[in-house]
Amino acid sequence: MQPARTAPHRLVQLEHAYSLFVPGDATAPRVCRDFVRAVLFTHGRETLVMPAALCTSELVTNVHLHTKGAAILRVRLNSTRLHVSVFDESPDPPVVARPAAGAVACWGRGLALVEEVADRWGVADARTGRYAKGVWFELRPTV
């Protein structure tokens, strides 16, 4: 009698999901940036650390500057992408500033940076509890 054949094992890549509730204060961008870095280093995704830290910092800084409340940071990571969302209490949509060429400004370029660095970005369609909107970005690992 021959042993039964088994199907070859497939590598199952799970999605890792993390959430962080962030108070509405000036420490929020750094805390969120460090949180995303820790997730990426833990999962061996070092190539995504710098662009993810920049984009996270910009989205959370916008919450701190333009809203008066707390935020939720959500991080989802799988084999093909990193998806980071920042939910806040303001229903106002984000605005991508387009300063004139050569203009000097201290702020107003955050979403333009996210647009340039991220593979995709946008605004979530659905509400999350008391949080009125979520702005997100995605990065895909380079091969």
Side-chain angles (χ1 to χ4, degrees):
M1 184 169 190
Q2 293 183 343
R5 291 186 177 206
T6 58
H9 293 288
R10 289 186 165 194
L11 178 62
V12 177
Q13 182 66 38
L14 301 175
E15 180 168 275
H16 304 282
Y18 302 89
S19 295
L20 180 67
F21 292 90
V22 186
D25 65 31
T27 65
R30 181 177 181 184
V31 170
C32 291
R33 187 173 55 238
D34 290 348
F35 183 79
V36 170
R37 283 182 182 147
V39 168
L40 293 171
F41 278 125
T42 298
H43 293 287
R45 305 305 276 281
E46 290 82 2
T47 60
L48 296 177
V49 168
M50 293 304 290
L54 173 67
C55 292
T56 300
S57 187
E58 293 300 334
L59 294 187
V60 178
T61 297
N62 281 349
V63 171
H64 175 66
L65 293 175
H66 302 294
T67 73
K68 292 182 167 96
I72 297 176
L73 174 71
R74 290 206 176 140
V75 180
R76 295 192 331 252
L77 178 67
N78 64 31
S79 63
T80 61
R81 70 185 169 100
L82 167 70
H83 183 99
V84 176
S85 302
V86 178
F87 293 88
D88 65 52
E89 297 174 356
S90 171
D92 300 331
V95 176
V96 180
R98 304 271 184 223
V104 177
C106 293
W107 54 52
R109 293 181 167 85
L111 286 176
L113 283 170
V114 172
E115 189 173 65
E116 185 66 30
V117 171
D119 293 311
R120 293 177 359 135
W121 81 278
V123 179
D125 294 334
R127 292 176 54 101
T128 300
R130 74 177 196 218
Y131 296 92
K133 77 167 174 298
V135 181
W136 57 268
F137 69 88
E138 285 185 354
L139 295 170
R140 298 191 184 277
T142 54
V143 181

